[in-house]
Amino acid sequence: MLTYLLAENTEGNSWTSYIWIIVLLVLLVAFFVWSFLSQRKKQKAYAEQINAVKPGCKIKTIGGIVGEVVEVNDADNTFVLRTGDSEGNYSYMRFDKQAIYQTMDAPAEAKEEAPAAAKEETDAEPAEEAPVEEKEVSAEEEKKDEAQDK
């Protein structure tokens, strides 16, 4: 189609063919600028996500491993991930921060609302409170045991 338009305008009105070329070049440049800005925005969001990782965050790695961050070392750009089952069988792995695929923590606003909802649930069902405390105690014991093993 472009060659047809260019061939049609050879009868003295050559400026119209230049307009089409200029329009195409402007669209091409606009596409590259939009692509560059979009990519930079994604990189900035990913860098913020990586830098926001702290102990207690639940994350998923690029390998599909899900766990809780136990330790973050900013100097080495690494973190230690604790994975395991509900019975207290945990394993610890060290990853580079670039291995983070997704963080699974709720936003800060949802965290503020969650304690109020949890308080209402504990008033209604006090029996659920005991297993949660036992799990936290066993996690602390695991940390102590690991520190003693080292």
Side-chain angles (χ1 to χ4, degrees):
M1 181 175 147
L2 182 61
T3 57
Y4 176 72
L5 290 173
L6 292 174
E8 184 178 295
N9 291 326
T10 59
E11 299 176 358
N13 288 337
S14 62
W15 62 273
T16 56
S17 64
Y18 292 122
I19 291 176
W20 284 108
I21 292 172
I22 291 170
V23 167
L24 288 174
L25 288 176
V26 167
L27 288 175
L28 187 63
V29 168
F31 172 74
F32 282 122
V33 168
W34 175 76
S35 176
F36 174 74
L37 293 176
S38 176
Q39 185 65 26
R40 189 163 53 158
K41 183 179 177 182
K42 288 179 184 177
Q43 287 175 347
K44 183 178 178 183
Y46 183 69
E48 288 175 1
Q49 176 185 8
I50 287 175
N51 292 332
V53 172
K54 60 183 183 230
C57 291
K58 293 181 182 177
I59 64 166
K60 182 177 185 179
T61 66
I62 56 176
I65 299 171
V66 179
E68 183 178 341
V69 175
V70 178
E71 175 186 331
V72 177
N73 188 346
D74 290 328
D76 293 340
N77 203 26
T78 60
F79 65 95
V80 176
L81 187 68
R82 180 181 73 175
T83 61
D85 57 12
S86 60
E87 297 175 4
N89 300 321
Y90 298 115
S91 62
Y92 296 88
M93 293 176 269
R94 182 174 303 276
F95 288 97
D96 189 34
K97 282 188 177 182
Q98 298 298 321
I100 296 172
Y101 175 69
Q102 179 181 21
T103 58
M104 296 182 203
D105 283 339
E109 298 167 358
K111 287 181 183 178
E112 291 174 1
E113 295 174 7
K119 184 177 180 182
E120 292 173 5
E121 290 177 9
T122 56
D123 291 341
E125 300 175 20
E128 289 183 4
E129 197 171 295
V132 172
E133 289 177 6
E134 290 176 3
K135 184 176 179 182
E136 290 176 3
V137 171
S138 65
E140 291 174 4
E141 291 175 9
E142 280 292 323
K143 288 180 186 177
K144 290 177 184 177
D145 291 342
E146 182 185 344
Q148 290 175 356
D149 291 341
K150 289 181 180 179

